[in-house]
Amino acid sequence: MTKKKTILSGMRPTGKLHLGHLVGALENWVSLQNDFNNYHLIADYHSLTTNPDSSEIYQNSIDMLIDWLAAGVDPAKSPVFRQSQIKEHSELHLIFSMLITAARLERNPAVKEQVRDLNIENVTFGHLGYPVLQAADILLYKGDLVPVGDDQVPHVEISREIARRFNKQYKKVFPEPEPKLTSFARLPGLDGMDKKMSKSADNTVLLSDSPQDIQKKIRKAVTDPLKIRKNDPGRPEICLIFTYHQKFNPSETSQIDADCRSGALGCVECKMRVANRVTETLAPFREKRAHYENHLDEVKTILGEGEGRARIRAQTTMVEVHEAMAMG
Ligand code: TRP
């Protein structure tokens, strides 16, 4: 029997999740949970790298965890845990910080992008070290694979470099983790085809939205600007609503494609159809979410158990780390 590989997946606790998280991450996590050993990390310390205000982090972590559970993440199979509650993350982060240069971290495209918006004067030491903490997250559990979107690939590359460097400097302890890209391209937000769905852009459908909210939000979505009247011909390939049909209403896409192009189908009708399918997709989710919202003790127990299991795994790795460094 070959040993199952380990997957380490993580998200920063941004609060309630949206359809983009479902399509881009959660569906993938759930489909992988039988064939791999999975660890699901709530990266709460990472939230502090861009904003030290911690007042909402706990509540956002719980809201996000409820969405994970409602989407089908099974905590009996895969521990769910907060980074801040497993001290070994901080410890390994410290050791790793000696194994990568500041210059290399400054070249990280994700930081570069933020520096452009922020100005280097405002980038903290902790923010520069964001990928070093992420490397500790992954390698503490000896993650072989990391399910991420393409924006995270540079971070995973830094994890690989750090693993290689540690193994060479001391003794082989770590695998070199690989990104595992999701198959469905990222979901556009409601405000245009070229922007991804994100909380900060305020263009989301939340997994917890009511059917009325879903309808209201989708009704206002941007479509082909040249299709002004109902019978004008439209271009599905530039329409975000068509992308939603592809994802949530796959059996009707060819008909919708044809009817949009010919002008037989108007945008309002097209939007209502997709809103109904999204509502149907989210129905079981909404039910499970309501259960957890009414049983917060259960959610906290799940988190506590996950943290217990993760801690044991993390401590085992740290014993090996200290032995490899002859510091045990
Ligand atoms: N950087 C990830 C994000 O913003 C969150 C994250 C932190 C993560 N640690 C991780 C993702 C470890 C995967 C593995 O989405």
Side-chain angles (χ1 to χ4, degrees):
M1 204 179 84
T2 51
K3 209 170 143 278
K4 277 187 187 175
K5 288 196 168 182
T6 297
I7 291 189
L8 191 295
S9 33
M11 279 185 201
R12 275 187 292 175
T14 49
K16 291 182 177 163
L17 300 182
H18 53 65
L19 279 182
H21 292 116
L22 182 70
V23 169
L26 289 175
E27 285 184 345
N28 201 22
W29 293 12
V30 170
S31 74
L32 297 168
Q33 62 187 353
N34 289 327
D35 299 329
F36 296 87
N37 290 320
N38 287 271
Y39 288 88
H40 296 306
L41 165 97
I42 300 173
D44 51 357
Y45 274 153
H46 270 115
S47 304
L48 299 173
T49 59
T50 44
N51 179 3
D53 180 358
S54 59
S55 56
E56 288 175 8
I57 290 184
Y58 178 78
Q59 190 53 46
N60 283 343
S61 299
I62 296 291
D63 280 339
M64 182 169 83
L65 176 56
I66 290 176
D67 280 341
W68 287 4
L69 297 171
V73 168
D74 180 351
K77 289 185 186 138
S78 322
V80 291
F81 55 99
R82 286 166 296 162
Q83 185 184 47
S84 63
Q85 301 307 304
I86 320 282
K87 296 194 171 21
E88 287 73 12
H89 286 259
S90 309
E91 200 179 359
L92 193 57
H93 167 256
L94 175 76
I95 296 171
F96 283 172
S97 72
M98 320 296 174
L99 298 176
I100 185 150
T101 64
R104 172 67 181 92
L105 294 172
E106 278 168 22
R107 282 201 304 276
N108 173 15
V111 169
K112 263 194 181 161
E113 202 175 293
Q114 283 167 337
V115 170
R116 216 178 304 135
D117 303 339
L118 269 175
N119 178 357
I120 188 77
E121 298 297 318
N122 298 321
V123 176
T124 62
F125 180 47
H127 188 182
L128 195 61
Y130 186 110
V132 185
L133 183 55
Q134 186 158 344
D137 297 341
I138 297 166
L139 294 171
L140 205 41
Y141 305 92
K142 298 196 179 176
D144 299 297
L145 298 167
V146 189
V148 285
D150 47 9
D151 57 321
Q152 292 286 310
V153 171
H155 290 329
V156 180
E157 181 52 35
I158 290 177
S159 297
R160 294 168 62 80
E161 288 174 29
I162 291 176
R164 224 177 286 144
R165 186 73 214 279
F166 183 98
N167 291 344
K168 195 157 158 254
Q169 180 75 35
Y170 306 109
K171 216 165 133 187
K172 183 168 181 338
V173 172
F174 297 115
E176 286 180 30
E178 281 172 38
K180 188 169 173 46
L181 293 167
T182 33
S183 51
F184 195 84
R186 62 168 63 151
L187 201 66
L190 295 169
D191 55 348
M193 201 45 184
D194 51 344
K195 297 198 205 110
K196 75 169 176 173
M197 194 175 275
S198 79
K199 187 179 179 182
S200 55
D202 196 18
N203 61 6
T204 63
V205 174
L206 295 179
L207 300 180
S208 46
D209 277 342
S210 67
Q212 294 77 4
D213 288 339
I214 295 172
Q215 232 187 56
K216 242 197 277 168
K217 285 183 174 182
I218 290 183
R219 193 195 287 271
K220 283 197 247 150
V222 173
T223 53
D224 182 349
L226 295 183
K227 184 168 165 68
I228 297 161
R229 277 170 302 263
K230 175 179 179 294
N231 300 113
D232 290 342
R235 295 166 295 171
E237 69 278 10
I238 64 148
C239 182
L240 65 95
I241 293 295
F242 188 69
T243 312
Y244 291 12
H245 276 292
Q246 287 173 315
K247 175 63 202 169
F248 297 103
N249 189 16
S251 65
E252 285 187 63
T253 47
S254 48
Q255 191 60 47
I256 285 170
D257 184 291
D259 291 348
C260 171
R261 283 180 205 287
S262 72
L265 178 64
C267 291
V268 175
E269 160 74 15
C270 184
K271 284 172 168 177
M272 285 310 108
R273 283 205 221 163
V274 93
N276 289 339
R277 296 311 303 260
V278 169
T279 301
E280 278 167 31
T281 307
L282 293 182
F285 177 93
R286 222 175 349 261
E287 224 169 89
K288 279 178 94 176
R289 191 173 211 293
H291 167 85
Y292 288 115
E293 273 179 344
N294 294 324
H295 296 82
L296 277 180
D297 286 354
E298 200 180 312
V299 176
K300 288 176 189 173
T301 304
I302 287 171
L303 188 58
E305 280 171 3
E307 287 170 356
R309 285 161 70 193
R311 192 172 295 117
I312 290 171
R313 185 72 193 83
Q315 285 170 346
T316 309
T317 303
M318 284 314 293
V319 170
E320 270 185 74
V321 164
H322 284 139
E323 275 173 5
M325 298 173 79
M327 289 174 82

